Amino acid sequence: MTATPKESQVTGTDTWQGVVADWSGDKETFAMPWGKVMMWIFLLGDTFIFGIFLVGYMAVRMSTADAWPETGEIFAMTVFGHEFPLLLIALMTFILITSSGTMAMAVNYAYLGDRRKTVLLMAATALLGLSFVGMQAFEWTELIVHKGIRPWANPLGAEQFGAVFFMITGFHGLHVLGGVIYIAIVARRVHRGHYEQKGYAIVEITGLYWHFVDLVWVFIFAFFYLL
């Protein structure tokens, strides 16, 4: 119901004094926890960092005079005597996307107040993230030990390949490992009922971070492995 002219004169909502009172009254435009705001700011900064890395990678790749290695050959995996290009990378991508699904369900059950399912789904997310890190360690070992690729050398083509590969995937891998630790800590606190009074927005904030890490991997997968 709109205020009558007489009521507006009394409350002052239609005057400049009313506008000043609103702005100085510490009112919220959107009801959002500070933790969530800070996470969005952090993710925005991280978006710039990963964006710079990927743009730098494309610039290096297009400017190098040496042949860029075929990723389908370098990252091929042999299973039962048959070679499958990008098999390991496809598995890593599937695991990370699946973990996004388990994390989304954990957020849903957290807001429904089901602590048991929330903890179980967060634990599943952490285990999937840990599997991804393990596979990445295996991938790095294959490149370093068996194919002789280093950040400063690459016997299979352009030397810059090793530098940008280890920098981008290593930085992303650290984010995944940090996310696993973060999820494990929050899940432990959920299990202990630490957020019964505070609310479960922290689970959603944790999910925001995890979905961001997964989204970044999709871009790395597309730019680095497929192009």
Side-chain angles (χ1 to χ4, degrees):
M1 185 173 68
T2 57
T4 63
K6 188 174 180 180
E7 289 173 335
S8 299
Q9 190 177 3
V10 172
T11 58
T13 54
D14 292 343
T15 64
W16 282 109
Q17 288 83 357
V19 174
V20 173
D22 283 346
W23 279 93
S24 60
D26 196 26
K27 293 184 177 180
E28 290 180 332
T29 305
F30 303 104
M32 183 178 290
W34 273 108
K36 195 172 180 180
V37 175
M38 296 309 293
M39 178 57 78
W40 275 114
I41 294 173
F42 171 76
L43 296 181
L44 181 64
D46 242 14
T47 301
F48 283 116
I49 294 173
F50 276 109
I52 290 169
F53 280 177
L54 289 175
V55 170
Y57 155 70
M58 293 302 292
V60 167
R61 181 168 175 173
M62 288 188 291
S63 61
T64 181
D66 299 321
W68 198 259
E70 286 291 333
T71 52
E73 296 176 5
I74 288 185
F75 299 106
M77 192 174 178
T78 304
V79 179
F80 300 119
H82 298 281
E83 197 171 74
F84 296 92
L86 299 178
L87 177 61
L88 180 64
I89 311 304
L91 282 173
M92 291 166 66
T93 305
F94 175 76
I95 284 173
L96 217 50
I97 291 174
T98 304
S99 72
S100 252
T102 55
M103 191 65 222
M105 287 192 287
V107 173
N108 181 49
Y109 280 114
Y111 280 124
L112 290 175
D114 193 329
R115 282 196 297 160
R116 181 176 170 276
K117 288 182 180 175
T118 303
V119 172
L120 286 175
L121 287 165
M122 292 184 78
T125 305
L127 284 175
L128 288 168
L130 214 53
S131 303
F132 177 89
V133 174
M135 288 183 177
Q136 193 169 52
F138 174 77
E139 178 193 31
W140 277 38
T141 304
E142 285 289 310
L143 293 182
I144 295 171
V145 176
H146 300 293
K147 296 180 179 174
I149 298 176
R150 305 284 191 276
W152 53 87
N154 174 25
L156 304 177
E159 290 185 347
Q160 297 92 334
F161 174 84
V164 292
F165 172 78
F166 289 119
M167 179 183 69
I168 293 174
T169 59
F171 192 61
H172 178 265
L174 284 175
H175 275 69
V176 175
L177 188 59
V180 168
I181 296 170
Y182 184 29
I183 290 171
I185 292 172
V186 173
R188 186 168 178 266
R189 289 189 167 194
V190 170
H191 177 66
R192 291 186 168 189
H194 186 78
Y195 303 111
E196 282 295 299
Q197 300 298 324
K198 299 179 181 177
Y200 287 96
I202 184 66
V203 180
E204 184 184 359
I205 294 169
T206 311
L208 277 177
Y209 176 83
W210 193 253
H211 296 319
F212 171 79
V213 169
D214 294 355
L215 182 63
V216 168
W217 176 255
V218 171
F219 280 96
I220 293 174
F221 178 71
F223 278 83
F224 205 95
Y225 295 98
L226 296 183
L227 292 180

